[in-house]
Amino acid sequence: MRSMLTPWPWKMAWRDSRSSRGQLLLFSASIVLGVAALVAISGFRANLKTALDSQAKSLLGADLALSGRQPLTGEAEALVDSLDGAQSREVRFSSMVYFPRSGGSRLAQVRAGETAFPFYGTVEVEPLHAPAQLDRGPFALVEESLMEQFRARPGDEVRIGARSFRIAGRLRQMPGESLGGSLFGGRVYIPLAYLDETGLMGRGNTASYRVYLKFEDEIEPTALLRRIGPQLLEFGLRAETVAERKARVGRTFENSADFLNLVGFIALLLGGLGVASSVHVYVKRKVPTAALLRCLGAKAPQTLAVYLCQALGLSLAGILGGILLGVGLQYFLPGVLADFLLVDIPFHLSWSGIAGAGLIGLILAWLFSIQPLLFVRRLSPLAALRMDYEAGRQPFDWAQWLVRLAIVAAILVFALVHTSRWTYALGFVLGLLISLALLAAAARLGMALIRRFFPGSWSYPWRQGLANLHRPHNQTVVLVLSIGFATFLVMLLYLVHQGLLGQIMKAGGKGQPDMVLFDVQGDQKAELADLLQGFGAPVLQEMPVVAMRLQSIRGKSVAQHLRDPGNTIPNWALRREYRSTYRGGLLENEELLRGSWPVGEGESGSPPLVSLDEGIARRLEAGLGDELAFDVQGMLVATRVGSIRRVNWRKVQPNFFVVFPPGVLEEAPQFHVLVTRAGAGSTAAAIQRAAVRRFPNVSVIDLALILKTIDEILQKVSFVLRFMALFSIVAGFTVLVGVIGNSRYQRLRESALLRVLGASRRQVFLILGVEYLCLAGVAAAGGVLLAWLGSWVLARLVFQSPFVPAFLPSLGVCLLVTAVTVLIGLLATRGLNRLPPLEALRAGAHRL
Amino acid sequence: MNTLASPVPPVLQVDRLTKRYRSGERLLTVVDDVSFSLGPGETCSVLGPSGSGKTTLLGLCAGLDRPTSGSVLLNGQHLGGLDQDRLAELRNRSVGFVFQTFQLVPTLTALENVMVPLELRGKPSRAWAVELLGRVGLEDRAHHYPVQLSGGEQQRVGLARAFVNRPRILFADEPTGNLDADTGETVIELLLEMNRDFGTMLLVVTHDLELSGKTRRILTLRGGRITSDRVPDSLRPPGQVPEQTLSGAARDSAAIESDPA
Ligand SMILES: Nc1ncnc2c1ncn2[C@@H]1O[C@H](COP(=O)(O)OP(=O)(O)O)[C@@H](O)[C@H]1O
Ligand SMILES: [Mg+2]
């Protein structure tokens, strides 16, 4: 390495590259995409941070937001009123909305608010003056996606409960909405003044009551919260400040940016493999020169330095290209992520991001190129005197292993920086190494199988093409790795997406329930059942629902838990409204894990035994026999955990965290849920229309709506994922082009020789085609198999669903990847036939 | 055909062949107005200093490149009128090659290498390839890959491959250039022996005076021009004048011939 500090190796490196500069640049192309991804993502992250800082207040729309599950009581009202500053109230709830013009209806999120809100940020709406109209009468702003679904236009009517509103405008973005809100869509804003006229409040509808506050500059929301925090907790009010919202949004993006970074990093690693492989070919070609330098008196380190200088120069060129491309990508990234962004992202360069990405690119590219170059140290000057020098088996070389170790360490450090958790980083490195090892094994196995079972009677070009995969210095494994890994990523994304959708589809199988009507009042039950019967939809299940809150766990009150800094129970589990039911037995989609059910009578005087879903039991850290006290709308009910159930949540039917035994809740205020099967989409729509008109308070969810919502989310998420998958595919193909470009001289000589011996152009072409075909076939098949394995693991461990191999799409992906690889391969080797075969006769054809 | 009483037509007839390369601004004449012809079974070596255009001439004769002007008649066919694939077919059927750098396909065994020309034609005959390997003394190395063979052995495989299609014409470009003297001698023996047995016309570029001394005719090339065309001293009866000495330049060719390639 010290030799690199002297000028000679640099001068020599420059001169030595003369004959092949253009080609050498090809192998720096391998790392361009990886570096570009890292530059783009870190730049984007920096831009996002600036945007969050400068637009933080518009994320919340106010300085402080309070929310509770009940209308403010007198004391709470007094507390809120005592706070200086402007106020705006809002009530949020879900309800059916009905569009009379198209006759469509669906469950939507209604926000009844005051136009003072938002205090910060702008409402993106069309026409612009629409929000002001909500001050003037019964107007509504309807979210764009909802308008599109029912082909509604401004000026149309929308009915919510007993009240009609005129649509004032189409809403795109409202400050203060969380990320989830924009994903789920379906929001309708109405004036708070008309809330009562909908007649929906107090009929079993659970709503969130919010107060938005805007303070004078001197008031610090965080300090204020410290003062009034305990009181808010007492009134069941949750507070959120701008800082908290910003941190929450920031975290979401940090997580996704880390994920994107890892994908970019994988692209860089594939590129690194490409570099290693190209350098490997290159250095074999340089053996005579290197040996000659040794003969002329250059020391081994000096000779190595010449090639290290070249590698460094090439890495720098690749990194420069990557940075330029990355900055371009960064410019377009906000467009790709538009659906997830709550703020406008300004564009500016992040020098630290560029430097970071450049550095990691340089380190990796260099480590990867050092590895094959180290062999130059061992090169005997004798090689200059011998033609067709073939190094025998190299003895153990500690430096090789040191470099390999350094590569793994660099990957680990990178993963650690981006996941900031040892377990994740180790998981990433292990997962990566295992996938690559499996792919490499698949490549070897595939080659062996082809070799073993290839019909010997096939024509010569087929056999020669196949034999080419085993040519000396072949890069078969590297190509299979890069193409196979890209295929793996693409296929895995596809399988997971399909698996998720497929599960939900299956929920709608024959005879299965596909529609749930909830918030049904006791006196509406019979009439609604009749209405359903009229449409030929039987009531399959009917359950009572009682709303309650947790009061205490094992004698420690929820408020105490919340105040306890060591509390590990998630807040939502403590504060949420539990909608529980009561019944005597298990449903068919339930499975008893522990305890017994049905629970007999229990001893008289002892608390009733309830059954918990296993997930909520884990969150509440509650086991069999633990005491849970519930506040059932003012009445305290002490219970004990009598059993733990596992619930298959994927059925279209209401499921409950807590199930009470009969004989406890019968007298509590309750409403009912009816489950039915509507069948055809038109019947479902007709039922919804009729139900909404007769019982405005009843909400309907049907399978179609669930599917649509999930599909919308998946669409948006998978767009980003697909972008990354596409990226890795392109990275794989860049490696392909680079590697093929670098072994071009080899192919050139081979095909020139064949043509001297009388091969036609078609035959030469066919031989190359067969070579790429086998290569791509093995890579694609390996990638798909690995994706199957991956999605099988995910299905078993994460989604707990059966694994669906999706044969036809897998075949499609295989064929597509293979076809593109063959095409790119042939394009990268085109021109072979244009050179006169005379070149084969010239011993000095190395420069080609 | 044999009703015509004319002499046997040549298998290779080169007529005013010229090849120029553009190198930057300059136009480099590498083969300059060369004419000669060779009959069936005739042997001829080409001598000349390095860079005098020997390889280029050989390539033009075999249709491996297009001349700038002039024509080549190979086995009765005008090369100028054939496209790349027809040229390849002609080579495959009637031409054999031996290279200085052996040029074996590294992914194929010795036997497979020998079979390539037959395979390309779609008529592989394993037995014949094995027999040829036997003739060059390599029957027990048939399944070895080129890297497992010494230079001399590789060149013998190259010889077997050159003769596998029973060519009427054989081109060899410095076949002993990469071999030591003893090995080179073995290869020369084999080459000439097989050439005789198959009745092949041989055009061989060489620096090896031993080899050129055994061909019936010697062309000397300088700067792309033929400067002498003679019968080797060893084949000439003592006292006889060289047949077609073109100029006195031939006299210093011996000095040039020993130039390294
Ligand atoms: N493609 C080419 N472009 C330019 N010059 C060439 C090319 N091929 C060969 N030459 C030149 O033609 C001359 C003759 O080359 P060659 O036939 O290989 O000589 P020989 O085989 O006698 O050593 C050399 O000076 C060489 O530099
Ligand atoms: Mg030559």
Side-chain angles (χ1 to χ4, degrees), chain A residues 839 842, chain B residues 21-23 28 30 49-56 174:
Chain A
E839 302 296 347
R842 292 189 197 283
Chain B
Y21 285 115
R22 178 173 295 284
S23 111
L28 197 69
V30 177
S50 176
S52 56
K54 305 182 298 292
T55 299
T56 309
E174 305 191 32

Side-chain angles (χ1 to χ4, degrees), chain A residues 433-453:
Chain A
L433 290 181
I434 290 175
S435 338
L436 289 179
L438 282 178
L439 265 181
R444 294 240 157 79
L445 185 73
M447 292 311 164
L449 285 180
I450 294 182
R451 209 174 195 180
R452 172 86 181 67
F453 293 108

Side-chain angles (χ1 to χ4, degrees), chain A residues 11 25 34 59 62 76 85 100 105 122 160 172 242 288 318 330 429 487 573 645 679-681 697 745 765 772 808 810:
Chain A
K11 228 182 331 183
L25 279 179
L59 286 177
S105 62
T122 45
I160 300 170
R172 295 222 174 80
V242 171
Q330 180 195 343
V429 173
T487 313
R645 291 162 305 141
N697 61 298
Y745 86 102
F765 209 65
Y772 299 136
L808 230 60
S810 301

Side-chain angles (χ1 to χ4, degrees), chain A residues 390 451 460 463-464 467 470-472 749 753 755-761 763 836-838 840-843, chain B residues 21 55-56 59 64-65 84-85 88 91-92 97 99 101 103 105-108 116 119-120 145 147 161 173 178:
Chain A
E390 262 305 314
R451 209 174 195 180
Y460 169 73
R463 278 176 290 131
Q464 178 63 55
H470 302 277
R471 71 158 70 78
R749 301 201 69 186
L753 172 64
R755 285 168 63 211
V756 170
L757 296 179
S760 66
R761 277 171 297 185
Q763 282 172 315
L838 180 61
L841 292 179
R842 292 189 197 283
Chain B
Y21 285 115
T55 299
T56 309
L64 299 179
D65 204 354
Q84 286 292 339
D85 284 345
R91 282 195 295 271
N92 189 254
F97 276 96
F99 306 89
T101 49
Q103 300 280 15
V105 182
T107 49
L108 303 181
V116 167
E119 303 246 38
L120 285 171
Y145 285 90
V147 287
R161 182 177 67 187
D173 190 7
N178 276 326

Side-chain angles (χ1 to χ4, degrees), chain A residues 82-229:
Chain A
S82 74
L83 303 173
D84 293 329
Q87 281 187 23
S88 178
R89 305 285 173 116
E90 186 185 270
V91 179
R92 295 184 169 184
F93 57 97
S94 333
S95 162
M96 298 301 284
V97 296
Y98 173 57
F99 295 86
R101 202 170 66 82
S102 62
S105 62
R106 71 166 262 185
L107 191 65
Q109 303 177 48
V110 182
R111 276 105 163 92
E114 296 173 309
T115 41
F117 183 79
F119 297 118
Y120 304 105
T122 45
V123 184
E124 280 178 41
V125 66
E126 185 196 294
L128 281 174
H129 66 266
Q133 281 194 286
L134 267 66
D135 269 342
R136 286 186 214 120
F139 286 96
L141 300 179
V142 178
E143 183 148 5
E144 195 168 29
S145 62
L146 208 55
M147 302 266 291
E148 270 163 23
Q149 189 187 346
F150 295 107
R151 293 199 197 79
R153 289 187 298 256
D156 282 0
E157 206 186 318
V158 56
R159 206 175 172 82
I160 300 170
R163 173 79 231 190
S164 254
F165 297 85
R166 194 155 298 285
I167 299 176
R170 149 194 330 264
L171 183 70
R172 295 222 174 80
Q173 181 78 267
M174 183 68 131
E177 287 291 352
S178 66
L179 197 62
S182 71
L183 282 182
F184 285 96
R187 286 166 303 189
V188 179
Y189 280 81
I190 57 169
L192 185 58
Y194 292 92
L195 175 62
D196 284 344
E197 289 182 33
T198 62
L200 293 172
M201 288 300 98
R203 299 215 63 177
N205 212 327
T206 48
S208 153
Y209 297 82
R210 298 174 162 247
V211 184
Y212 296 103
L213 294 140
K214 179 190 179 197
F215 300 124
E216 300 300 319
D217 281 346
E218 58 268 23
I219 298 184
E220 230 298 32
T222 318
L224 176 75
L225 265 190
R226 258 198 302 279
R227 189 161 55 77
I228 63 167

